[in-house]
Amino acid sequence: MTITDSTADLYLVTYENGTATVLEGADVRGMIEDATHQDPSFLIPLDSGAFKLDFASPAGAGIQFEPVKADISVPFERLVEMRSRDGIQWQEVGGVSLADAERLLGEEVSRCDGSIWFLMSGTVVVLDGQKATLRFEPLRETRK
Amino acid sequence: MSVLTPIRHALATANAYLRIDLSTGRTDVICGAQADFLLVDIHRDDDVRPGPYGRYQIKAADGRTVRLAPLASRSGPMATWYKHCTLPDGRTSYPQAPMSGAEVLKHAHAADGAVHRLLDGGFIRVHRGRCAETWSPLIVNPQETS
C-alpha cells in the first residue's frame, strides 16, 4: 500500500447547532441509510452533490452534507466572502478576487489554528475545530 | 506562498491527514494541501521527520510536537482482530479487551464523533477535538495465545 492509495471520500457535515466536522463517506452513507429507512422524504438533494437530512420540517433546520473535493483547485476568479461567529448565521462581507481570498484564508486558518476544506461546489471553508468561521462561495452570475 | 498555488515538491500526498498535537491532545483532520503547506512552507526542514505509513512528525520551534498521519479509505478489508484502547483524556491510552473486525465496524457506526481509518490499517475515533479511541490490527488471534 502506498500513500497515493489513500482516497478517503470526505464530507463537510454541518449540524443544526452550527457544529461542523469532516466525516468519512462510509459514516455519511450510514447516516443517510438510517434516516431514509425511517422516511425517504428526510433526504433533500441540494446543488453540487450536497444534500440535507431534514428530520422535522420547519424549513432550514437539519444536517447538511457537502462533498469535499480531492484536488484543491478553485475554478472561479471572483468569490463572495462570508463570515460567521456561530456557524449558523452568515454575513456576506463582499466580493473578493481569488488572490485576496487566498490571503484571507491563510490569515484566518493561522488565527484559529483551524483547517481549510475545498468543496465540490467550488466553495472554500475554514473550520476552527468546532464550526465554520469563513466561507468563500463562487460568484456565479457574470456581469459585464 | 499560498495554500492554493501548485506545490513545488509535495511532502504530503494523501487527500487528508489526521493532525494530532501531542502536547495538548488536540486532534483534527486537515486536507492534504494544508498538510503539505505546513510541512513544506511553515516548518523548517530540520523540524520535519518522516515516519512509517506516510506519517510525519513536526517538532515545532515553539516546542509543540504535531503528528500527521494520512487517512485511508474506510472501505478496505478488515483485520480479524483489533487491539482496542480508550483515551478518556485524549492523551493517555488504556488498553481494553481485543475486538473483532465486525465489532469495530459496528461500534464505529454507533459511536459519537468521527471514525477514521489510517494507512497502517488502524482506526481512530475523534470526538470533540480529541482522540477518544484507537483500534490497531492484531497479527495473532488473541483467543489462541491466551
Side-chain angles (χ1 to χ4, degrees), chain B residues 119-138:
Chain B
L119 264 194
D120 62 3
F123 289 80
I124 191 160
R125 180 163 75 87
V126 180
H127 184 48
R128 294 184 189 276
R130 293 280 185 276
C131 168
E133 270 175 294
T134 60
W135 294 269
S136 34
L138 285 170

Side-chain angles (χ1 to χ4, degrees), chain B residues 61-84:
Chain B
D62 59 6
R64 288 194 310 162
T65 305
V66 176
R67 216 176 257 174
L68 297 175
L71 295 189
S73 169
R74 268 272 293 276
S75 53
M78 298 288 291
T80 319
W81 287 97
Y82 287 84
K83 184 182 168 207
H84 178 211

Side-chain angles (χ1 to χ4, degrees), chain A residues 35-54:
Chain A
T36 49
H37 187 70
Q38 290 177 49
D39 186 344
S41 70
F42 284 156
L43 183 66
I44 301 164
L46 304 170
D47 290 344
S48 331
F51 47 86
K52 197 157 97 172
L53 281 182
D54 199 341

Side-chain angles (χ1 to χ4, degrees), chain B:
Chain B
M1 289 301 292
S2 95
V3 286
L4 296 186
T5 42
I7 293 147
R8 302 106 356 258
H9 73 290
L11 284 178
T13 47
N15 284 341
Y17 282 77
L18 190 78
R19 170 170 67 174
I20 307 173
D21 188 320
L22 295 185
S23 323
T24 61
R26 185 195 144 123
T27 303
D28 63 353
V29 176
I30 58 174
C31 76
Q34 193 182 349
D36 196 69
F37 185 69
L38 288 173
L39 292 170
V40 177
D41 293 309
I42 300 285
H43 295 285
R44 296 187 309 143
D45 288 356
D46 294 349
D47 295 342
V48 172
R49 217 177 60 204
Y53 297 106
R55 285 184 214 150
Y56 287 96
Q57 183 156 312
I58 303 167
K59 188 105 178 81
D62 59 6
R64 288 194 310 162
T65 305
V66 176
R67 216 176 257 174
L68 297 175
L71 295 189
S73 169
R74 268 272 293 276
S75 53
M78 298 288 291
T80 319
W81 287 97
Y82 287 84
K83 184 182 168 207
H84 178 211
C85 290
T86 51
L87 296 87
D89 63 352
R91 275 182 284 183
T92 336
S93 86
Y94 296 93
Q96 307 288 331
M99 281 169 94
S100 72
E103 280 175 330
V104 172
L105 282 182
K106 204 171 154 192
H107 188 89
H109 187 67
D112 286 333
V115 177
H116 297 284
R117 185 180 212 171
L118 303 177
L119 264 194
D120 62 3
F123 289 80
I124 191 160
R125 180 163 75 87
V126 180
H127 184 48
R128 294 184 189 276
R130 293 280 185 276
C131 168
E133 270 175 294
T134 60
W135 294 269
S136 34
L138 285 170
I139 314 287
V140 287
N141 187 333
Q143 288 176 339
E144 283 169 10
T145 49
S146 59

Side-chain angles (χ1 to χ4, degrees), chain A residues 1-10 21-24 26-27 30-31 34 68 70-74 98 101-103 105-106 109 112-118 124 127-130, chain B residues 2-5 7 11-17 19 21 26 28-34 53-54 56 64 70-75 108-109 113-120 128-129:
Chain A
M1 199 192 266
T2 63
I3 306 169
T4 46
D5 281 345
S6 168
T7 48
D9 62 330
L10 300 169
T21 183
V22 172
L23 288 184
E24 304 265 344
D27 282 331
M31 288 166 84
D34 287 352
V68 170
D71 66 301
I72 59 157
S73 58
V74 177
L98 186 55
E102 290 183 19
R103 186 176 52 77
L105 282 168
V109 83
C112 66
D113 194 18
S115 54
I116 299 183
W117 293 96
F118 300 81
V124 193
L127 297 190
D128 73 354
Q130 293 281 320
Chain B
S2 95
V3 286
L4 296 186
T5 42
I7 293 147
L11 284 178
T13 47
N15 284 341
Y17 282 77
R19 170 170 67 174
D21 188 320
R26 185 195 144 123
D28 63 353
V29 176
I30 58 174
C31 76
Q34 193 182 349
Y53 297 106
Y56 287 96
R64 288 194 310 162
L71 295 189
S73 169
R74 268 272 293 276
S75 53
H109 187 67
V115 177
H116 297 284
R117 185 180 212 171
L118 303 177
L119 264 194
D120 62 3
R128 294 184 189 276

